[in-house]
Amino acid sequence: AAGAPKPLPSSGPKSLREMPHPLATSSSEEMGPALTPSPDLLLPRSIADKDLSLPNGTPVDTSSPASSSSLLNRLQLDDELDVETRDLFVTVDDPKKHVCTMETYITYRVTTKTTRAEFDLPEYSVRRRYQDFDWLRNKLEESQPTHLIPPLPEKFVVKGVVDRFSEEFVETRRKALDKFLKRITDHPVLSFNEHFNVFLTAKDLNAYKKQGMALLSKVGESVKYVTGGYKLRSRPLEFAAIGDYLDTFSLKLGTIDRIAQRIIKEQLEYLVELREYGPVYSTWGGLEVELSEPLEGVSACIGNCCTALEELSEDMTEEFLPVLREYILYAESMKNVLKKRDQVQAEYEAKLEAVALKKEDRPKVPTDVEKCQDRVECFNADLKADMERWQNNKRQDFRHLLMGMADKNIQYYEKVCVT
């Protein structure tokens, strides 16, 4: 049926009976290979050393660049992405404030243009509020548990923001919601999800919300399987490396986020004092006729510094901090998917042990164990693919972010150094 979710692929061409059984012997040394990923799945040294490729097939060299110029040349690869093959475009714009008897809220216009057969029309325009985006994300997590779901902006994107109806806050959230939908649109599986289709096309989304919790997919049900307290033996090497990378990445990015917020706070405090400092020279110039011209010049210079510093602080608040926060949340989302993968592997190991402990001879491994193995392989394949996609997006986003902030700082110093 049109709009039906695509079946999740499995990366396992081999059946379970063709693989070494981890419980065929009591020797721990002989049990290891069965749960060790095949050579094509092993992660060489670390995620940073992994050979990546862009969606257009261009290989990406992840080794350290010899110079800043070589880094810039390498990053130009990201600009060669082929966008002509895209068949779904979504934008979020036109925020409007709604004042009702019980509540006040903001809605955003979600515009969709597509040539996909799953859609009845080539273009849609609907209005959605924040809780609708939250509904969509929850539905994607339920129906696509093996995939990384992009994070939503937090209730308060920037610490210290009190007025959630201010133009600055609403615009910051609009950008984040627009990026959220674009990341789903660019995903080869999530973009075909039936709930995403409903979100983009339904005039009345509340009608779908009132239907209650939809039945989870078979893979979703498997994640909720109770393993009876069984603990995972160990993650395969590549997923252990992913976990270590995410922990380090979150720690470093969290430190940058805290420092950046402290810098902005100090800049704003300095700006308040600077605004009080400038008029003093103008008042002084009125009393000292001979010094009037140079004193007015100093006052004007301080005024220029105030304007330049205010613009720099706004850029950091509206452009720099939201990206840091998004990727901190992104890392947490990836960790959650990794935990779900571990749960499925723990279920698989528990089932294998239960089979091994039974006395009677079995000519074949039970079907439910084979299905469980398929779920593990499905998680492995989807998680690896999403990790590579996330790394490519991260490189592009941080390239634009850091180069943009460097330009903003250069512009700031050019303005304050003009005599």
Side-chain angles (χ1 to χ4, degrees):
K6 299 292 183 182
L8 296 174
S10 172
S11 63
K14 295 183 179 180
S15 66
L16 184 62
R17 65 179 65 92
E18 296 176 303
M19 301 178 63
H21 200 293
L23 301 176
T25 175
S26 60
S27 172
S28 60
E29 294 181 357
E30 296 180 5
M31 290 171 62
L35 293 179
T36 301
S38 58
D40 61 313
L41 298 180
L42 288 177
L43 188 71
R45 290 194 298 273
S46 69
I47 295 299
D49 295 331
K50 186 176 179 63
D51 292 334
L52 302 179
S53 61
L54 300 178
N56 63 356
T58 305
V60 177
D61 179 16
T62 56
S63 60
S64 300
S67 64
S68 58
S69 60
S70 63
L71 174 61
L72 292 177
N73 290 335
R74 178 191 303 174
L75 291 175
Q76 296 304 316
L77 289 171
D78 294 328
D79 295 328
E80 299 174 3
L81 298 180
D82 184 14
V83 297
E84 295 181 358
T85 58
R86 292 180 58 184
D87 53 7
L88 181 63
F89 299 87
V90 181
T91 58
V92 178
D93 60 8
D94 190 28
K96 287 185 178 179
K97 185 176 181 180
H98 300 261
V99 181
C100 303
T101 304
M102 300 299 294
E103 62 176 336
T104 300
Y105 59 93
I106 303 292
T107 65
Y108 304 85
R109 180 174 62 189
V110 178
T111 304
T112 304
K113 296 182 180 181
T114 182
T115 57
R116 290 186 179 181
E118 291 81 7
F119 293 85
D120 297 329
L121 301 174
E123 185 170 348
Y124 295 86
S125 180
V126 295
R127 298 203 69 85
R128 299 286 183 253
R129 56 188 297 186
Y130 180 87
Q131 67 181 28
D132 297 330
F133 287 84
D134 190 46
W135 171 86
L136 171 62
R137 190 177 191 283
N138 290 334
K139 286 298 182 181
L140 290 176
E141 281 195 328
E142 289 176 7
S143 56
Q144 310 283 180
T146 65
H147 285 287
L148 171 62
I149 311 301
L152 273 174
E154 296 171 303
K155 285 291 185 181
F156 296 96
V157 179
V158 181
K159 292 182 179 178
V161 173
V162 178
D163 185 9
R164 64 189 181 93
F165 299 112
S166 67
E167 289 185 11
E168 295 80 6
F169 180 82
V170 171
E171 177 60 16
T172 299
R173 171 166 287 183
R174 184 202 66 78
K175 291 179 180 178
L177 294 177
D178 183 75
K179 183 177 288 185
F180 169 72
L181 291 188
K182 281 181 168 54
R183 294 203 188 283
I184 297 175
T185 300
D186 292 338
H187 197 283
V189 176
L190 300 181
S191 63
F192 287 92
N193 185 276
E194 61 180 341
H195 301 298
F196 186 46
N197 186 304
V198 168
F199 177 87
L200 297 179
T201 62
K203 288 296 182 183
D204 183 15
L205 193 60
N206 290 326
Y208 290 89
K209 291 181 179 180
K210 292 177 182 178
Q211 293 176 358
M213 297 290 289
L215 293 176
L216 297 177
S217 64
K218 292 182 179 180
V219 178
E221 291 175 345
S222 72
V223 174
K224 296 183 178 296
Y225 180 88
V226 179
T227 59
Y230 185 92
K231 292 185 178 180
L232 184 68
R233 267 194 209 98
S234 64
R235 284 175 175 167
L237 295 179
E238 60 182 338
F239 297 111
I242 289 176
D244 292 342
Y245 171 81
L246 292 173
D247 289 339
T248 303
F249 179 77
S250 299
L251 179 64
K252 298 300 183 183
L253 214 58
T255 301
I256 294 175
D257 179 55
R258 290 191 298 273
I259 294 175
Q261 293 197 50
R262 187 165 67 243
I263 289 174
I264 293 174
K265 180 176 180 293
E266 293 174 354
Q267 285 178 340
L268 295 177
E269 292 173 351
Y270 174 59
L271 184 59
V272 171
E273 296 183 355
L274 205 59
R275 284 172 174 162
E276 297 176 355
Y277 187 49
V280 173
Y281 287 93
S282 296
T283 305
W284 185 7
L287 301 174
E288 300 278 356
V289 179
E290 297 82 358
L291 298 176
S292 176
E293 184 176 348
L295 290 174
E296 287 294 342
V298 172
S299 179
C301 182
I302 294 175
N304 290 335
C305 291
C306 289
T307 302
L309 184 59
E310 183 177 17
E311 292 176 354
L312 181 64
S313 298
E314 288 178 354
D315 287 330
M316 288 193 66
T317 301
E318 298 173 8
E319 305 294 337
F320 190 74
L321 290 183
V323 175
L324 295 182
R325 291 302 306 159
E326 181 196 16
Y327 272 92
I328 291 173
L329 295 174
Y330 235 137
E332 293 303 315
S333 298
M334 180 66 82
K335 290 179 184 179
N336 289 334
V337 178
L338 198 59
K339 289 178 181 178
K340 292 177 184 178
R341 194 216 73 85
D342 291 346
Q343 289 178 342
V344 175
Q345 182 181 332
E347 175 192 350
Y348 173 55
E349 293 176 353
K351 286 181 179 292
L352 284 178
E353 287 194 356
V355 171
L357 290 175
K358 291 184 178 180
K359 300 293 185 180
E360 65 271 18
D361 295 331
R362 290 181 175 270
K364 54 182 281 187
V365 177
T367 303
D368 63 328
V369 179
E370 292 184 330
K371 290 181 178 179
C372 190
Q373 185 204 19
D374 284 341
R375 291 196 290 269
V376 173
E377 294 175 347
C378 181
F379 253 108
N380 292 350
D382 291 345
L383 185 56
K384 284 174 58 183
D386 281 359
M387 185 65 181
E388 291 189 9
R389 185 177 296 104
W390 180 74
Q391 289 283 24
N392 286 333
N393 289 337
K394 178 170 65 66
R395 290 178 61 249
Q396 295 181 59
D397 290 343
F398 276 91
R399 176 196 66 176
H400 292 300
L401 177 69
L402 298 177
M403 293 180 67
M405 290 309 302
D407 288 339
K408 296 295 183 182
N409 277 273
I410 291 173
Q411 294 171 14
Y412 166 74
Y413 286 107
E414 287 177 344
K415 292 176 182 177
V416 300
C417 291
V418 172
T419 55

